[in-house]
Amino acid sequence: MSQPVLGAEGVAKSFGPVQVLFGVDFDVRPGEVHALMGENGAGKSTLMKILGGYQPPTAGTIRVNGQPVQFSGSGDAEALGIVLIHQEFNLAETMTVEENISLGREVRRGLFLDKKAMRERARAALAELNCPVDPNARVSGLAVSERQMVEIAKAVSRDVRVLIMDEPTAVLTGAETEVLFRLIRRLTAQGVGVVYISHKLDEVKAISDRVTVLRDGRHIATRPAAELSQDDIAQLMVGRDLSDMFPPKRELAPDAPVVLEVEGLTVPGWVENASFRLRRGEILGFAGLVGAGRSELIEGMLSLRHRTAGTIRRDGKPVRIRNVGDAAAHGIAYLTEDRKGKGLLVGKGLRPNLTLLALDRYGRFFIDERKEATVLERAVEEFDIRVKSMDALVGSLSGGNQQKLLLAKTMQVEPSILIVDEPTRGIDIGTKRQIYLFLHDLARRGASIIVISSEMPEIIGLSHRVVVMRSGVVTGTLSGDAIEEAEIVRYATGLKGGTKGVSNDAIVHA
């Protein structure tokens, strides 16, 4: 058995008081593909950023060829041949493809850049991937899948000894994925070690030699891929106790009317022919893996993304939703997953943030600041927003208090349909429970709620039914005892379910 080319021993990582990795062991050997599996939030990307030099570990040892190393940055790791392809694109959009591929490794002829040599380097790297992108093209004009291929070409153009790939096929077609697999096989034949992170179980079985599973930041198992079925991997990925985090589910009335129906909605490049129904008093969960299209489906419904097809009915009547204002007029409110980028003005105070969606209630020409202040005091008490001063800037609040403020802001329009996207991402367990209780109570009082979440316990603990998506398609809807982690993973990874667009009620398990 060959010595690992890269390894982690007892690696732990904390961000402030929050620990996300707990004594994890992991290694990759020359010429192997080692798959790293786990649900969203399991710690996979954090571990890979540590191995790639982007983040230091809080504890533990990183070894290269058996020798302990300390990276001061990703440049140190790349100098040793360790290259990470990020899940999020890491390209300079205003630069050309060839400039991106050579970024940081520019070829010079005297005082000037040797553009011809860099163009040839780019052409050679792209040719390995059968990628027809023009090296002179600007990245900003490329399709998403083309950008991913450029990311991969940029990585393999280096003198790579360990290639770490974080969800590399999330935006690739089947043909592009097969080209990538051929490249991986060529690299491993040359002795390169590959770390492969993916939620696609069929890909993991097809390409991997070993599989390691993380759960909640802890190492669960490392096994030869040949010993594991796809179902075995799914079972290893799940298995947490919901304890008493969630209030008991209220039985949904069998004759509860449909308050929202979406039929055949298509968002080009993201969602195809998706349909679902939401009933009065129901909490409807949307589950799926990275790139499944859950947020894009809702954003398409609200016209936050361009949709090319789809019918929306409110209480059985067709409606046009052209913007968030139209949605609010129909009693629909949306709490975005990006609270800092799209949800809150972090450089402003609490009061203008709270009332922004409902300014018409606080004056036509001038804002009634006294009325705003009264509403803010009520919201701070009702949502338990913990602040030292009512004049504090939103950016000074903790993530949990920011999220509670965003929820209070969204509720200002008094929606009868509330859509919450990743409602508890990055917040502490106590605040999570507060939000769960609020959503449960809101549904009990007759409101209808859509919850999009990457946290399986959240989906399972809150939802009356769960819509599962994969690669932009609704693969099934689960209810009753079928709402459990292993079953959701099977639909989310393609072990079960449709592939051409399934209506909300087409696959129901009781």
Side-chain angles (χ1 to χ4, degrees), residues 56-379:
T58 305
T61 303
I62 306 301
R63 294 184 183 275
V64 175
N65 292 325
Q67 300 301 310
V69 296
Q70 289 185 331
F71 298 135
S72 61
S74 60
D76 288 354
E78 289 196 8
L80 294 173
I82 302 162
V83 180
L84 169 61
I85 301 175
H86 295 264
Q87 183 176 337
E88 301 86 12
F89 293 138
N90 196 29
L91 300 172
E93 293 197 358
T94 59
M95 299 175 71
T96 65
V97 169
E98 67 181 54
E99 289 169 341
N100 270 277
I101 288 176
S102 290
L103 192 61
R105 303 180 306 121
E106 290 82 0
V107 181
R108 293 186 178 275
R109 180 180 292 176
L111 297 176
F112 301 98
L113 294 177
D114 189 341
K115 293 191 174 182
K116 181 179 179 182
M118 291 195 296
R119 185 170 297 114
E120 288 306 312
R121 173 193 282 172
R123 289 189 190 281
L126 293 168
E128 272 206 278
L129 292 166
N130 291 345
C131 181
V133 170
D134 182 355
N136 283 315
R138 294 206 177 274
V139 168
S140 58
L142 301 182
V144 174
S145 62
E146 291 173 330
R147 295 186 193 194
Q148 181 67 302
M149 296 301 261
V150 172
E151 283 274 25
I152 296 167
K154 177 182 174 182
V156 299
S157 70
R158 286 154 164 74
D159 184 17
V160 61
R161 298 177 61 203
V162 177
L163 182 60
I164 303 170
M165 314 182 87
D166 194 351
E167 296 288 350
T169 66
V171 295
L172 299 185
T173 66
E176 289 168 334
T177 296
E178 186 50 45
V179 170
L180 175 61
F181 281 7
R182 288 199 295 269
L183 173 64
I184 290 173
R185 293 183 184 107
R186 286 203 300 273
L187 289 172
T188 54
Q190 297 164 9
V192 175
V194 175
V195 180
Y196 193 86
I197 302 176
S198 178
H199 284 107
K200 299 179 179 180
L201 301 184
D202 55 342
E203 291 184 2
V204 168
K205 281 294 294 178
I207 199 69
S208 302
D209 298 297
R210 286 192 295 162
V211 176
T212 287
V213 176
L214 299 184
R215 188 194 307 150
D216 295 333
R218 292 177 169 83
H219 177 271
I220 299 302
T222 297
R223 304 259 294 276
E227 295 180 3
L228 296 170
S229 68
Q230 294 184 41
D231 207 61
D232 291 334
I233 299 171
Q235 290 288 349
L236 287 170
M237 289 168 60
V238 302
R240 291 168 296 194
D241 183 10
L242 295 182
S243 66
D244 61 350
M245 276 292 290
F246 302 93
K249 290 184 187 179
R250 178 185 54 84
E251 194 75 25
L252 192 65
D255 59 347
V258 174
V259 296
L260 178 67
E261 184 175 8
V262 171
E263 185 176 353
L265 191 140
T266 295
V267 177
W270 291 103
V271 180
E272 180 184 354
N273 191 31
S275 303
F276 68 89
R277 294 174 182 173
L278 176 67
R279 300 181 185 277
R280 181 175 298 163
E282 178 179 34
I283 299 180
L284 180 65
F286 274 75
L289 304 175
V290 174
R294 298 163 298 162
S295 298
E296 291 78 14
L297 168 59
I298 296 302
E299 289 173 354
M301 183 190 81
L302 299 174
S303 290
L304 296 173
R305 288 181 182 265
H306 175 65
R307 64 175 185 264
T308 56
T311 300
I312 303 167
R313 297 184 182 89
R314 182 73 167 90
D315 294 326
K317 299 177 181 178
V319 295
R320 291 183 64 193
I321 298 179
R322 296 162 295 184
N323 49 50
V324 173
D326 283 352
H330 292 295
I332 304 170
Y334 173 54
L335 188 148
T336 176
E337 65 176 325
D338 183 4
R339 62 174 173 260
K340 290 185 177 180
K342 299 177 182 178
L344 296 170
L345 304 171
V346 294
K348 300 291 185 181
L350 278 67
R351 183 168 47 81
N353 271 280
L354 177 68
T355 60
L356 187 60
L357 292 179
L359 279 179
D360 57 330
R361 301 184 181 191
Y362 301 95
R364 184 175 297 273
F365 300 107
F366 299 98
I367 300 299
D368 187 339
E369 294 185 358
R370 182 175 297 178
K371 185 177 181 180
E372 275 190 323
T374 300
V375 171
L376 175 60
E377 289 178 4
R378 188 182 309 136

Side-chain angles (χ1 to χ4, degrees), residues 12-28:
K13 181 65 178 178
S14 296
F15 295 97
V18 180
Q19 188 167 356
V20 296
L21 289 177
F22 300 83
V24 172
D25 294 335
F26 180 85
D27 63 59
V28 58

